Amino acid sequence: MSFSKEINAFLGFYLREEDVGQNRAEATLPRLAELNAYVAVSSTRQPLSQDLLAPFQVVVLTNSSLEEQLWVGDFCHSHGIKLVVADTRGLFGQLFCDFGDDMVVTDTNGEQPLSAMVSMVTKGCPGEVTCLDEARHGFETGDFVTFTEVEGMEELNGCGPVEIRVLGPYTFSIGDTSGFGDYVRGGIVTQVKMPKHIRFKRLREALAEPELMITDFGKAERPPIMHWGWQALHRFIRQHGRPPRPRHQGDAAEVVALTREVAPGAELDQDLLRELAFQATGDLAPVNAFIGGLAAQEVMKAVSGKFTPITQWLYFDALECLPEENKETRNSRYDGQIAVFGAELQAKLGAQKYFVVGAGAIGCELLKNFAMVGLGCGPEGCVTVTDMDTIEKSNLNRQFLFRPWDVTKLKSERAAAAVREMNPALQVSSRPDRVGPDTERVYDDDFFEALDGVANALDNVDARLYMDRRCVYYRKPLLESGTLGTKGNVQVVIPFLSESYSSSQDPPEKAIPICTLKNFPNAIEHTLQWARDEFEGLFKQPAENVNQYLTWVSGVGGGTQQPPCTPPIAPTLHGTPRTPCMAPTLPGTPRTPYIAPISLKTNSGTLFWSGPKRCPHPLVFDPDNPLHLDYVMAAANLFAQSYGIGGSRDRGAVAELLRHVRVPPFAPKAGVRIHVSDQELQSTTTALDDGRLEELKASLPSPEELPGFRMFPIDFEKDDDTNFHMDFIVAASNLRAENYDIPPADRHKSKLIAGKIIPAIATTTGAVVGLACLELYKLVQGHRRLGSYKNAFLNLALPFVGFSEPLACPRNKYYEVEWTLWDRFEVQGLQPDGQEMTLRQFLAYFKKEHRLEITMLSQGVSMLYSFFMPAAKLRERHDQPMTEIVARVSKKKVGRHVKALVFELCCNDDTDADIEVPYVRYTIR
């Protein structure tokens, strides 16, 4: 149970205009309760008292006086109640945590425990462990580890956690092993997370002796000054019964004087303190979102013991957002924002036209913040949100604009409706389209040219790269943000100032080698990926191939072409069933131990079955084994679905049927070679000979034998627990894991890995989007100093918050002309006489105007011109209009929605040297 005192802007987005004059807690309560029917929420008008606080585990104070914080802090600390204090003042934020004298943290960082494979353990004091050199072990000195599957030095198996000292990227020491047996082979070393004890000071002590968390090392001197200034602010409010007035010099001077009383002799930043006073009445949704997200995560830490808490003070400011004009209030819903930025910026926000790409967790938070700050709420403004997905039940834990009754509806429509209810002035429209080349008729030149900016809320890199390219081409600012569990990042892309999202990319994920999946799995991730591949190979690809074949033989495929995929479809068509197949064929039965017995040694004398190679064994089918029955039930029903016939969910009947099925003992095929590397696998891959191919073609049934027959490919869907998809994956993976003595995974873990589920929590999303919207303030004001902008990186589990200045766009040069990724050649395709420029004129234009000789010219993947082009083709194209050449080469007409084409150039300068130049925007309309 947690208790929160005051409902201010942290929950202000649940208040509506019709709630004006009502009790804030009572008005908020119904909408808060809608979020999760399993969480009991209540409100009270009782004054804060010890009796009221006593039943709670955590108390959160917001917008409270220092006197109240002190007595609540004393009471909570002495009664074992954890305390979080959160407050915001304009562009300033404050957070304090007191989790008692002995807070036990069971998981300091939230990362999966590291593990590595052992290749050697020496006898000695200390003993040294060497890991396989496939990857660094990743351990740190002081970590604790345990061992399993060690042969020879059996004493290590099952021993308690051992503290280690790292010696190198592949080695570490573990203490005295001199009395242990001789190491033979194998072993897995796994990190153990040890509990950490943290002592917190009560608020009264922490005020005098603060521990301060630094969030921005470019402002490392500010937290102590803000710590004293916040206390002075409380003194001012106590003395005057009100906060300092916006931009009031006298009130600000008094706050500075009070700060000197709080910290006599300290060196003070008076400008910072004056700004704190100026903004004391400020109320900004992005700052509330950031501080609120952090505070909510601290509450989770307090009740769970998971992740490292903030110890103990966090101060934050975003003063680089400030404009230079004076501020005034207008008696509107935006007064808290106008008190910080002024009415002029509020008008600019209202006139903005923004495109939100995605309406998932980040998209919902962006739309909420946009509604709160008034973006697109003026008569000239608008916000467009697009998302092709529909709402699933699993979305409700973090995409808070949606309710249970929204499930199966379009995300974009319901998100737009929800924020329109928050702020009826918001001019928001929704679209159900995926962004990409296929929708450029929808999101065309007119659409992008009218925008003021784009905010990405995407969950895949390809879509992010595409939107980044669009923003660079149309020269629009981009707010890019993402989360992964407790981790998050914000990148702001500013035209002509910063690099773009595409300028730097994360390294690609390390793929699992095929030979590991097929022959040498050693982790549950390997068997799960193998099971996913089996799903595609059994229930999707064969059905697609059959349908493609049937289309071809019906004459739709194009007469003389070869029939597609003959070898894969032959067994599928020959075995077309009329009832569900219940044959108990267990997955992944390995042939390798028959070819490479466990005692086999390599040419160097080392055991073949060592290191990452685990010796497998076949399974014996047992209809009374629940896992075996799970596999048969799932596979049979999925086969039935792919053939369009009914299945069976009667486990008892299927088990009884299987008891009468004779399963022959497993016998490996003769002459099978097991490949130990992907290179070896590729080098021995052979194509089907023509004779065998013709034989298979002749054996296929004709369409007359299968009148009206078609198959139904199955797309993997992880979230439907009734469709047998995850049942098959879990059973197949765990059976293969049993083959190789790999510990199995439960359904939840299997779903996370096989479904490639990205961890997402609402606290991180709120904090990240709050920081993104602070960058929005700067973009709308048109800040031109790169140092004013901040890219952000955070990990709430550690906790860590860091900021960096965006990198400037790299500068290139040809002759004396400097250019960046934001520059291009602008070429008007239509001549004054109304005729379009020909290729000859295009080449001459660059020779005359830019002293550049074009050696190659392309549009997308189409090569339009090259210096090595055959003379006849060159003569043909020289006098053709550019758009005609594009249409002929690409075999696609230029759409009427296209105003301009993009050409890429390779050029030589006056000295015939190859030089890099910008792309060409060739305007045709």
Side-chain angles (χ1 to χ4, degrees):
M1 285 191 300
S2 66
F3 174 83
S4 181
K5 191 264 180 186
E6 283 285 359
I7 303 294
N8 65 351
F10 293 119
L11 289 175
F13 54 86
Y14 287 119
L15 300 175
R16 305 292 184 264
E17 291 186 357
E18 63 266 24
D19 298 326
V20 173
Q22 297 186 37
N23 179 273
R24 289 184 293 181
E26 293 173 359
T28 301
L29 193 65
R31 299 182 183 101
L32 188 61
E34 289 175 356
L35 287 177
N36 192 336
Y38 299 101
V39 177
V41 292
S42 61
S43 66
T44 180
R45 295 193 180 197
Q46 295 180 41
L48 212 54
S49 66
Q50 294 184 358
D51 291 340
L52 185 64
L53 297 176
F56 293 94
Q57 294 171 278
V58 185
V59 171
V60 183
L61 293 178
T62 66
N63 199 26
S64 57
S65 67
L66 183 58
E67 292 71 30
E68 186 173 70
Q69 294 173 14
L70 288 169
W71 79 255
V72 171
D74 289 340
F75 177 81
C76 289
H77 193 91
S78 58
H79 287 78
I81 301 171
K82 301 182 171 67
L83 174 68
V84 176
V85 179
D87 203 0
T88 63
R89 302 278 177 173
L91 289 165
F92 292 88
Q94 176 197 54
L95 191 61
F96 170 79
C97 298
D98 173 12
F99 295 165
D101 289 323
D102 187 21
M103 170 69 178
V104 180
V105 178
T106 56
D107 181 355
T108 59
N109 59 15
E111 301 293 338
Q112 288 293 318
L114 299 171
S115 65
M117 290 191 164
V118 177
S119 63
M120 184 62 194
V121 185
T122 64
K123 294 175 70 171
C125 185
E128 294 186 6
V129 179
T130 303
C131 299
L132 290 177
D133 59 5
E134 290 185 337
R136 296 167 179 260
H137 54 61
F139 299 133
E140 297 178 1
T141 295
D143 282 350
F144 286 78
V145 299
T146 57
F147 293 85
T148 55
E149 301 184 27
V150 176
E151 295 186 27
M153 198 175 282
E154 309 286 349
E155 296 87 346
L156 288 177
N157 294 328
C159 69
V162 179
E163 187 173 3
I164 68 169
R165 185 170 70 88
V166 171
L167 304 176
Y170 308 102
T171 57
F172 57 87
S173 63
I174 56 172
D176 190 358
T177 60
S178 56
F180 293 175
D182 292 331
Y183 175 82
V184 176
R185 67 176 170 187
I188 298 174
V189 56
T190 305
Q191 182 186 38
V192 177
K193 299 208 170 189
M194 304 296 287
K196 180 180 179 181
H197 295 259
I198 303 175
R199 179 188 176 276
F200 287 80
K201 302 171 186 173
R202 66 181 66 213
L203 177 60
R204 195 176 300 274
E205 297 173 24
L207 275 174
E209 300 174 352
E211 291 182 65
L212 300 166
M213 175 180 163
I214 306 297
T215 59
D216 189 339
F217 288 94
K219 307 175 182 176
E221 74 288 349
R222 289 189 182 179
I225 300 170
M226 285 192 279
H227 182 71
W228 301 320
W230 221 282
Q231 295 175 61
L233 200 58
H234 281 292
R235 289 192 184 185
F236 183 99
I237 295 171
R238 186 176 69 248
Q239 292 174 9
H240 295 275
R242 60 166 177 81
R245 289 163 287 189
R247 319 308 299 177
H248 194 282
Q249 297 294 337
D251 287 358
E254 187 173 344
V255 169
V256 173
L258 289 171
T259 307
R260 288 199 180 95
E261 294 179 11
V262 172
E267 185 176 341
L268 302 178
D269 182 339
Q270 296 189 31
D271 291 338
L272 179 68
L273 293 169
R274 275 195 293 269
E275 201 57 60
L276 177 61
F278 290 160
Q279 299 190 31
T281 59
D283 186 9
L284 301 178
V287 179
N288 296 333
F290 174 63
I291 296 296
L294 266 60
Q297 188 64 58
E298 294 308 301
V299 173
M300 297 298 103
K301 296 175 185 178
V303 297
S304 68
K306 189 174 176 69
F307 309 147
T308 303
I310 291 173
T311 51
Q312 287 187 257
W313 293 97
L314 179 146
Y315 288 95
F316 170 79
D317 79 84
L319 294 184
E320 58 277 356
C321 295
L322 284 174
E324 295 178 355
E325 75 270 13
N326 291 329
K327 286 77 178 173
E328 54 180 319
T329 59
R330 294 291 182 86
N331 193 27
S332 73
R333 67 179 292 157
Y334 308 115
D335 273 356
Q337 189 163 263
I338 293 173
V340 177
F341 294 111
E344 184 178 337
L345 176 60
Q346 194 61 54
K348 288 182 179 179
L349 286 167
Q352 291 289 295
K353 297 178 179 66
Y354 253 76
F355 186 27
V356 179
V357 189
I362 289 178
C364 284
E365 277 287 339
L366 282 167
L367 290 169
K368 178 206 79 175
N369 276 272
F370 288 178
M372 292 295 98
V373 305
L375 187 87
C377 292
E380 299 176 359
C382 69
V383 173
T384 303
V385 56
T386 187
D387 197 311
M388 63 175 294
D389 286 345
T390 55
I391 300 163
E392 300 174 0
K393 190 173 182 179
S394 61
N395 299 147
L396 300 180
N397 77 319
R398 61 193 181 279
Q399 298 173 20
F400 69 95
L401 294 183
F402 308 136
R403 300 294 182 268
W405 49 86
D406 292 325
V407 171
T408 73
K409 298 177 183 177
L410 281 169
K411 287 184 176 181
S412 56
E413 286 184 3
R414 298 312 305 153
V419 293
R420 198 181 291 117
E421 187 179 348
M422 288 181 184
N423 188 343
L426 180 62
Q427 309 291 319
V428 59
S429 61
S430 62
R431 298 283 313 181
D433 313 299
R434 182 199 301 272
V435 293
D438 295 340
T439 55
E440 288 181 4
R441 289 181 177 271
V442 177
Y443 306 115
D444 56 11
D445 291 340
D446 290 336
F447 176 82
F448 271 97
E449 286 168 1
L451 293 176
D452 293 297
V454 174
N456 272 355
L458 293 161
D459 60 1
N460 68 88
V461 172
D462 289 341
R464 285 184 165 111
L465 291 171
Y466 174 80
M467 284 308 302
D468 180 69
R469 291 194 297 271
R470 299 297 275 173
C471 287
V472 170
Y473 176 72
Y474 291 105
R475 295 167 167 173
K476 302 298 180 182
L478 172 66
L479 291 171
E480 173 61 59
S481 51
T483 67
L484 180 66
T486 59
K487 302 170 185 173
N489 72 283
V490 175
Q491 181 180 358
V492 56
V493 177
I494 314 104
F496 299 103
L497 286 184
S498 75
E499 66 175 14
S500 73
Y501 175 82
S502 307
S503 299
S504 59
Q505 297 182 35
D506 294 331
E509 292 185 19
K510 188 176 181 182
I512 303 171
I514 296 174
C515 67
T516 299
L517 291 177
K518 291 173 68 69
N519 301 322
F520 306 112
N522 56 67
I524 198 66
E525 288 80 4
H526 301 160
T527 65
L528 281 165
Q529 183 59 54
W530 177 89
R532 280 288 283 111
D533 293 345
E534 282 285 286
F535 187 99
E536 298 291 314
L538 291 173
F539 311 121
K540 183 180 181 182
Q541 292 168 357
E544 289 178 339
N545 293 339
V546 165
N547 290 344
Q548 188 181 5
Y549 171 78
L550 292 174
T551 301
W552 178 84
V553 296
S554 299
V556 181
T560 60
Q561 296 178 357
Q562 289 292 319
C565 312
T566 301
I569 66 174
T572 308
L573 282 178
H574 290 151
T576 304
R578 299 303 174 197
T579 56
C581 173
M582 297 295 181
T585 303
L586 291 186
T589 304
R591 303 185 178 95
T592 39
Y594 293 83
I595 298 162
I598 193 162
S599 58
L600 179 70
K601 292 187 177 181
T602 65
N603 293 335
S604 62
T606 60
L607 289 167
F608 178 83
W609 295 109
S610 61
K613 298 186 182 72
R614 304 171 77 93
C615 186
H617 60 83
L619 305 181
V620 177
F621 177 70
D622 179 2
D624 295 317
N625 185 315
L627 186 59
H628 295 197
L629 186 57
D630 286 346
Y631 178 79
V632 174
M633 286 290 295
N637 276 281
L638 288 168
F639 272 125
Q641 291 175 30
S642 67
Y643 283 101
I645 56 180
S648 172
R649 295 179 181 272
D650 190 338
R651 290 176 66 89
V654 173
E656 183 61 29
L657 174 66
L658 292 174
R659 291 189 185 96
H660 300 285
V661 175
R662 180 181 173 274
V663 181
F666 171 72
K669 294 180 181 178
V672 175
R673 181 182 177 187
I674 301 301
H675 305 101
V676 297
S677 69
D678 283 6
Q679 292 80 4
E680 185 179 318
L681 179 65
Q682 292 168 0
S683 66
T684 57
T685 301
T686 57
L688 202 65
D689 65 82
D690 292 342
R692 178 58 180 153
L693 186 60
E694 291 300 322
E695 182 183 334
L696 283 170
K697 276 198 254 180
S699 71
L700 291 176
S702 66
E704 290 76 18
E705 297 176 64
L706 300 168
F709 176 76
R710 66 182 294 265
M711 294 191 67
F712 301 89
I714 301 175
D715 291 310
F716 178 67
E717 170 51 61
K718 66 183 184 301
D719 291 321
D720 183 352
D721 290 334
T722 66
N723 62 10
F724 292 103
H725 295 197
M726 279 308 304
D727 301 80
F728 176 84
I729 296 296
V730 174
S733 171
N734 284 340
L735 285 168
R736 186 161 175 84
E738 190 177 339
N739 283 142
Y740 287 86
D741 295 317
I742 298 169
D746 61 21
R747 187 183 184 92
H748 177 69
K749 182 176 180 181
S750 299
K751 186 175 180 178
L752 287 175
I753 298 172
K756 298 182 179 179
I757 295 175
I758 298 174
I761 53 178
T763 51
T764 311
T765 306
V768 161
V769 173
L771 294 175
C773 289
L774 289 174
E775 300 309 302
L776 173 70
Y777 286 136
K778 305 168 190 176
L779 292 171
V780 173
Q781 293 173 78
H783 285 194
R784 299 307 301 164
R785 191 165 59 86
L786 192 60
S788 296
Y789 293 92
K790 298 285 184 181
N791 289 343
F793 313 89
L794 56 85
N795 186 339
L796 301 187
L798 297 180
F800 169 79
V801 181
F803 298 91
S804 68
E805 180 182 314
L807 292 177
C809 46
R811 297 193 170 275
N812 305 292
K813 197 173 184 179
Y814 70 92
Y815 296 130
E816 298 305 314
V817 180
E818 277 196 348
W819 63 277
T820 71
L821 63 95
W822 298 98
D823 295 305
R824 61 194 179 209
F825 294 113
E826 295 281 359
V827 178
Q828 186 63 44
L830 289 180
Q831 302 300 293
D833 59 1
Q835 298 299 309
E836 189 192 344
M837 185 180 285
T838 64
L839 175 61
R840 187 191 303 276
Q841 292 169 327
F842 186 88
L843 299 175
Y845 169 83
F846 273 87
K847 186 70 173 175
K848 177 182 177 182
E849 298 295 328
H850 301 286
R851 295 161 51 205
L852 295 172
E853 182 179 352
I854 298 176
T855 56
M856 283 193 287
L857 171 66
S858 62
Q859 194 265 333
V861 296
S862 302
M863 181 65 70
L864 309 181
Y865 164 80
S866 66
F867 70 92
F868 51 80
M869 185 176 287
K873 184 177 288 188
L874 181 58
R875 284 194 299 272
E876 177 188 347
R877 292 186 183 178
H878 247 153
D879 295 314
Q880 290 178 347
M882 297 296 291
T883 54
E884 184 178 328
I885 298 173
V886 169
R888 287 191 177 186
V889 176
S890 67
K891 297 180 174 58
K892 294 179 183 177
K893 289 184 178 180
V894 178
R896 292 187 177 182
H897 65 285
V898 177
K899 287 186 175 181
L901 297 173
V902 173
F903 295 144
E904 301 286 346
L905 307 177
C906 289
C907 295
N908 288 346
D909 63 11
D910 291 338
T911 65
D912 280 341
D914 185 29
I915 55 173
E916 192 173 356
V917 296
Y919 69 92
V920 177
R921 184 175 186 266
Y922 180 79
T923 304
I924 56 176
R925 290 186 177 88

